[in-house]
Amino acid sequence: MDDKYLNLYKAFLKCETTDDIRIFLEDVCTYNEIDAMADRFWVAVLLSQGHTYEHIEKETSISSATISRVNRCLIKGSGGYRKILSKEDKK
């Protein structure tokens, strides 16, 4: 793994609170990048709860292309969404 990626991943592990993560992301990302990540994760939550594409698009105004991309990641991705979503369910 490339050191630059490892450094970024380790930086997230140093965050102790959601506020730490928020201020780190605000420095590292543009508002649009954070908003796009939030949209994608929200779509993953809604899909995992069984909501349809149509419902998600209507309720959130998130594009069907984004919903489809997230769904592909849930089905054939690396498992990151599923791992995090399964941890959320245990809380």
Side-chain angles (χ1 to χ4, degrees), residues 19-65:
D19 198 51
D20 288 349
I21 296 168
R22 179 188 57 78
I23 62 175
F24 178 64
L25 283 173
E26 286 175 356
D27 283 351
V28 173
C29 302
T30 66
Y31 172 79
N32 288 337
E33 290 167 333
I34 297 168
D35 193 52
M37 287 187 284
D39 281 352
R40 289 191 297 268
F41 190 69
W42 185 234
V43 167
V45 169
L46 294 173
L47 287 170
S48 72
Q49 292 173 346
H51 294 282
T52 64
Y53 280 33
E54 294 79 17
H55 172 82
I56 296 169
E57 191 171 12
K58 180 180 175 186
E59 294 298 315
T60 66
S61 300
I62 296 170
S63 74
S64 60

